[in-house]
């Protein structure tokens, strides 16, 4: 998962002095664009990622070493785009460069997103040798007709092969992405996808609802009526069916879209949801130091050009106000099954905000439940987490006005 585009602040009130940090590396290249994708990525076709990209990443680590020096790196995440287009030696070079300026935690989680159709056994083994210890595989579906609809470059069998290769290469920490809510997809299709992932032994699943993003081919088709998206009730039924099937298989539903075996939650993504510091490298990558967010230029050519002149390709920065931080705290916490910690919330935003939430908690039943000092979403609450966050915020704002 890429660093969030929304503004974030630290859950713990973390400051720049905090010792632990996560690192995100954005790889902006894909073989071709999927029909639903609005992320920044450049379709390369048969071409390889240019070497100038690696040089620029290495340069960025050097230029930003003050943000890393003396810190302990707890996770590194190669996201994209399609990071599995990078030669494993490049991944190793970047990890070495990082290890030269910061120390790595003994339990550091190093994830590489990898797409079927871009990997083979040898390269997966080489990523592992380079230091990667977690793979996030873009399976999306085991149904060829749906994969073609999504414009994925791979078949269902290639997805299966990639998972088998990952196991054979020695990875035991494997996550897989699934997409639900695809036009013509049936609930049985989704459940058979889940079942197949369980039988492959993946320990983490990210299940995303297909959304129509502006400017994508899917948006064009939906607008012209060539495609009709499933209705809300169908999507909700799929969401709850996935939840039930994965929980029955021993997974914890710990975030709206994420499930994990005990002890296998994505450490890196929790950094975002807990609003802890991270350094984002690469085009369009976002960073957060506990107070300030900043982000790099989204154009990879501009990114490379700036770094060739020894300049950070910074596009913007901002410091959040207290009320913006409060909004984010609520919005991000209610996406997590652990919910909002009212003790911490009161420490940051005042006793009045806490008692306001406690007094009004009955309004959000049965979607949010108050258990001691935690305001937790139920599974039905996770399904409507964004809407609930808006309602909680509205009530807190009204209390503040009184
Ligand atoms: S592989 Fe991922 S990043 Fe690349 S176009 Fe498809 S969805 Fe977008």
């Amino acid at each position: 998962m890429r660093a969030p585009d929304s503004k974030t602040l630290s859950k713990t009130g973390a400051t720049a002095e905090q010792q632990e940090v996560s690192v995100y590396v954005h790889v902006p290249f894909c073989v071709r664009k999927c029909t639903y994708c609005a992320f920044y990525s450049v379709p390369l076709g048969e071409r390889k990622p240019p070497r100038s990209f690696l040089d620029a990443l290495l340069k960025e680590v050097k230029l930003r070493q003050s943000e890393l020096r003396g810190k302990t790196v707890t996770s590194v995440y190669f996201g994209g785009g399609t990071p599995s287009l990078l030669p494993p030696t490049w991944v190793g070079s970047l990890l070495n460069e990082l290890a030269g300026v910061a120390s790595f935690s003994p339990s550091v989680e190093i994830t590489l997103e990898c797409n079927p159709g871009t990997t083979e056994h040898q390269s997966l083994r080489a990523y592992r040798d380079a230091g990667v210890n977690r793979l996030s595989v873009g399976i999306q579906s085991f149904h060829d007709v749906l994969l073609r609809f999504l414009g994925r470059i791979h078949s269902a069998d290639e997805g299966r092969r990639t998972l088998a290769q990952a196991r054979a290469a020695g990875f035991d920490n494997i996550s897989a992405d699934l997409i639900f809510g695809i036009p013509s997809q049936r609930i049985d299709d989704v459940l058979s996808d889940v079942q197949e992932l369980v039988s492959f032994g993946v320990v983490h699943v990210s299940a995303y609802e297909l959304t129509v993003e502006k400017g994508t081919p899917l948006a064009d088709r939906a607008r012209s009526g060539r495609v009709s998206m499933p209705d809300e009730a169908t999507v909700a039924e799929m969401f709850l069916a996935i939840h039930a099937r994965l929980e029955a298989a021993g997974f914890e539903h710990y975030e709206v879209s994420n499930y994990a075996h005990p002890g296998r939650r994505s450490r890196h993504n929790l950094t975002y949801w807990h609003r802890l510091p991270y350094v984002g490298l690469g085009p369009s990558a976002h960073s957060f130091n506990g107070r300030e967010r900043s982000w790099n230029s989204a154009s990879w050519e501009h990114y490379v050009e700036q770094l060739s002149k020894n300049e950070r390709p910074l596009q913007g920065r901002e410091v959040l106000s207290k009320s913006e931080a409060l909004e984010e705290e609520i919005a991000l916490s209610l996406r997590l099954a652990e919910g909002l910690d009212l003790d911490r919330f009161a420490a940051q935003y005042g006793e009045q905000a806490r008692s306001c939430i406690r007094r009004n908690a009955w309004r959000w039943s049965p979607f949010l439940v108050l258990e001691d000092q935690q305001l937790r979403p139920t599974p039905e609450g996770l399904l409507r987490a964004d809407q609930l966050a808006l309602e909680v915020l509205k009530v807190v704002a009204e209390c503040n006005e009184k």
Side-chain angles (χ1 to χ4, degrees), residues 2 29-30 32-34 36-39 41 80-82 115 152:
R2 64 180 50 230
F29 306 111
C30 289
R32 68 162 191 250
K33 290 297 287 184
C34 302
Y36 58 95
C37 179
F39 291 144
S41 71
T82 303
N115 278 330
R152 301 290 300 180

Side-chain angles (χ1 to χ4, degrees), residues 84 112 114-129 132 134-139 142 154-175 199-202:
S84 49
L112 182 108
C114 105
N115 278 330
T118 62
T119 56
E120 55 201 32
H121 173 71
Q122 277 315 96
S123 63
L124 291 182
R125 169 78 58 161
Y127 286 129
R128 196 168 156 66
D129 292 344
V132 174
R134 182 174 184 270
L135 286 182
S136 173
V137 186
I139 293 292
F142 287 113
H154 57 93
S155 65
D157 275 344
E158 282 172 305
R160 294 181 181 106
R161 205 155 45 239
T162 301
L163 288 175
Q165 286 166 346
R167 296 303 296 264
F171 286 98
D172 65 349
N173 197 354
I174 302 172
S175 177
S199 59
F200 266 110
V202 304

